[in-house]
Amino acid sequence: MIEECLVVEFAVSGDRCPLAEATATTGLTVDAEPPQRRRDGNTLLQFSGPADSGLAAVLDDDDRIRYLHVARTNDRQNFRCLSREPCVVHELIDVGFLVDSIQYVDGDERYTGAVVGRDVLQGVLEAAGDTIGVTLQRMYPLGDEDDQAVAHRWDISPAQEAALKTAYEMGYFEIPKAVAASEVAAELDIGKSAFLERLRRGQRGVFGQLFG
């Protein structure tokens, strides 16, 4: 049994993925679940973005996208579709990368996940090195306190969790607020609107599990 598990984050640029190109066109941030590759060569994509943002129209005009379905939930739109374009992340998945979440930001991508053991990490890094535009951003050991049971994990993305945690630690939730939203956003190195969006989505995910 291998006891060591490492959390890793990859930054991706220059990918021809429809979602990457759509966010480059619209300037949006899109949160996505790990893509599911099908035997027929198509990839199932599930993701969400701001409502009434023009994202649906851009994807609908992309010939690589099929069976696009859009459902609105409050201020967000949830998307499901098939893509004919292979996803770069599958090259890392094939050698042992356990992808947890993907975020598309203005044409670039960030993969967050884990690898089990140094040997698997080496294979993933070699695969990343052979893939144009993939670089390792962060890597750290997954501790026992971070590895919650699957049934008890919050239904929020790592980016939303970081927004909630940073806001809490900086005193954003205190009365009166110890810091402004712009200060928390600067700490996270994102824009104020992106921080507030992640905060609202994270709160909705946590409250939904607490009270739903």
Side-chain angles (χ1 to χ4, degrees), residues 8-194:
V8 291
E9 292 181 2
F10 290 101
V12 182
S13 61
D15 188 9
R16 292 192 65 249
C17 170
L19 281 183
E21 294 184 354
T23 59
T25 300
T26 59
L28 297 173
T29 295
V30 169
D31 294 310
E33 295 184 9
Q36 301 176 36
R37 187 163 47 186
R38 304 193 339 169
R39 271 197 240 177
D40 61 7
N42 288 301
T43 301
L44 174 63
L45 303 178
Q46 300 183 73
F47 52 96
S48 69
D52 304 323
S53 60
L55 180 62
V58 172
L59 291 171
D60 203 32
D61 288 339
D62 193 323
D63 293 337
R64 297 168 297 175
I65 295 295
R66 304 172 60 204
Y67 305 114
L68 178 66
H69 178 266
V70 184
R72 179 162 180 162
T73 304
N74 297 324
D75 60 342
R76 303 286 296 179
Q77 284 181 316
N78 296 322
F79 298 81
R80 288 177 175 82
C81 65
L82 292 181
S83 170
R84 297 176 180 175
E85 185 72 23
C87 293
V88 170
V89 70
H90 281 131
E91 298 186 31
L92 307 183
I93 292 173
D94 287 344
V95 292
F97 178 50
L98 307 173
V99 60
D100 182 53
S101 67
I102 301 176
Q103 189 172 65
Y104 299 83
V105 183
D106 198 17
D108 293 329
E109 304 161 43
R110 174 162 293 211
Y111 305 152
T112 302
V115 294
V116 180
R118 295 278 172 175
D119 291 342
V120 175
L121 173 62
Q122 183 63 35
V124 171
L125 292 177
E126 289 175 358
D130 294 335
T131 303
I132 297 176
V134 179
T135 56
L136 179 65
Q137 291 289 98
R138 282 206 309 161
M139 178 181 67
Y140 55 93
L142 179 67
D144 292 339
E145 66 279 6
D146 301 320
D147 197 14
Q148 302 178 51
V150 172
H152 295 284
R153 293 185 62 183
W154 297 112
D155 187 19
I156 58 176
S157 71
Q160 294 159 18
E161 180 181 357
L164 287 169
K165 182 178 180 181
T166 304
Y168 176 78
E169 291 176 344
M170 293 182 67
Y172 181 78
F173 296 115
E174 294 179 9
I175 302 174
K177 286 182 171 64
V179 293
S182 57
E183 295 176 85
V184 184
E187 179 67 20
L188 292 165
D189 197 24
I190 59 176
K192 177 181 175 181
S193 60

